[in-house]
Amino acid sequence: MSLPVPWLVTPEGLSIRVKANPKASRSAIKGVVELPDGPALAVAVTAPPVDGAANAALLAFIAKTLGVAKGAALLEAGDASRIKRVLIRGDGAVLAERLTALMACSAR
């Protein structure tokens, strides 16, 4: 039985539910966390949550981690919240495979 994933392949790409942790000591994907309303990808970024800096750092970090251009990562929802919805434009199935592989590597 596989655990639910916090992302969804869409016609536009990959939509990821993220729990952001700003002002961390280093940027990293921390894994999947279970929230009362479903799973989210926990992502730490070093930028503070001031003037959109943490959102910009989050998008840049996810884009770099998935090997896509910065412009391919868009904030769909959650601008002022720790729980966000991020869209990565591109081939959603390929992006989901990359993210699944990254999660498997980080779990070791």
Side-chain angles (χ1 to χ4, degrees):
M1 181 170 87
S2 64
L3 295 173
V5 294
W7 56 82
L8 176 67
V9 175
T10 70
E12 295 84 25
L14 189 66
S15 182
I16 309 168
R17 185 168 185 239
V18 174
K19 181 177 186 239
N21 179 20
K23 290 178 57 177
S25 59
R26 67 182 185 94
S27 295
I29 293 178
K30 299 293 193 174
V32 175
V33 294
E34 271 303 321
L35 302 175
D37 56 345
L41 185 67
V43 181
V45 293
T46 58
V50 178
D51 297 330
N55 287 338
L58 174 71
L59 295 175
F61 176 73
I62 290 175
K64 180 180 178 182
T65 301
L66 292 177
V68 298
K70 283 184 191 179
L74 305 167
L75 189 61
E76 289 184 302
D79 183 53
S81 171
R82 282 188 183 242
I83 307 302
K84 303 175 183 300
R85 173 81 46 197
V86 174
L87 173 66
I88 308 298
R89 289 190 177 157
D91 185 330
V94 170
L95 293 166
E97 286 178 22
R98 286 182 194 163
L99 191 50
T100 301
L102 285 168
M103 298 300 299
C105 288
S106 66
R108 293 180 191 171

